[in-house]
């Protein structure tokens, strides 16, 4: 079982579309050989906007995913410290650094994102960063 932290972009892609990226996201989310990890940060990037725009099917999709999460990153001080170190070391934006730090606090084996492999998060060496953006070819 692979311990996988899902970036918010993957959830958004899966919930909103029928593109190649959406299908790649759904393939990962439906993989029974994965154990999913998440954080309140990912919830904040997904549920509130869908709620505000009354996209109930999207909200339901997110809530279903979050109810299946078995590992929650809750050590806020550790996440913030690690996020600051990662952002400084690899040139990441704050939220990307905090998502990766959250993944590290739950000992995730991989971080799945929609970010292209040219983005700074792919410089991080402490965790395997997998992009479904390459699935767009």
């Amino acid at each position: 079982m692979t311990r996988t932290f899902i970036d918010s972009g993957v959830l958004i892609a899966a919930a909103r579309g029928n593109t190649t990226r959406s299908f790649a996201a759904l393939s990962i989310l439906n993989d029974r050989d994965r154990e999913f990890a998440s954080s309140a940060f990912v919830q904040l990037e997904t549920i509130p906007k869908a709620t505000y725009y009354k996209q109930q099917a999207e909200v339901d999709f997110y809530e279903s995913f979050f109810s299946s999460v078995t590992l929650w990153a809750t050590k806020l001080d550790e996440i913030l410290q690690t996020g600051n170190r990662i952002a400084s070391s690899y040139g990441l934006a704050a939220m990307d650094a905090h998502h990766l730090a959250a993944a590290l606090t739950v000992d995730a084996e991989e971080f799945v994102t929609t970010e292209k492999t040219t983005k700074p998060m792919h410089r991080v060496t402490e965790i395997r960063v997998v992009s479904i953006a390459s699935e767009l070819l």
Side-chain angles (χ1 to χ4, degrees), residues 82-92 120 123-124 126:
T82 303
N84 186 40
R85 179 186 58 76
I86 289 172
S88 298
S89 297
Y90 298 104
L92 271 67
R123 297 180 197 142
V124 175
E126 291 89 341

Side-chain angles (χ1 to χ4, degrees), residues 25-132:
L26 287 168
S27 174
I28 289 167
L29 295 175
N30 291 324
D31 185 346
R32 294 183 185 269
D33 291 326
R34 293 177 193 273
E35 175 181 34
F36 294 108
S38 195
S39 72
F41 299 130
V42 177
Q43 285 180 310
L44 186 60
E45 285 192 322
T46 54
I47 293 175
K49 192 170 181 180
T51 300
Y52 177 81
Y53 286 106
K54 298 178 178 29
Q55 302 295 323
Q56 192 57 48
E58 191 172 336
V59 171
D60 292 345
F61 180 89
Y62 299 142
E63 288 178 349
S64 176
F65 169 77
F66 291 121
S67 71
S68 74
V69 168
T70 57
L71 301 160
W72 284 95
T74 58
K75 300 174 185 173
L76 185 57
D77 288 341
E78 185 179 344
I79 292 168
L80 295 175
Q81 289 176 1
T82 303
N84 186 40
R85 179 186 58 76
I86 289 172
S88 298
S89 297
Y90 298 104
L92 271 67
M95 207 65 243
D96 289 341
H98 288 118
H99 285 319
L100 285 159
L104 290 170
T105 67
V106 295
D107 296 322
E109 297 168 59
E110 65 180 4
F111 181 90
V112 179
T113 184
T114 55
E115 296 288 339
K116 295 178 183 177
T117 57
T118 56
K119 296 292 183 174
M121 72 169 39
H122 291 278
R123 297 180 197 142
V124 175
T125 59
E126 291 89 341
I127 187 170
R128 184 174 65 231
V129 178
V130 177
S131 176
I132 64 168

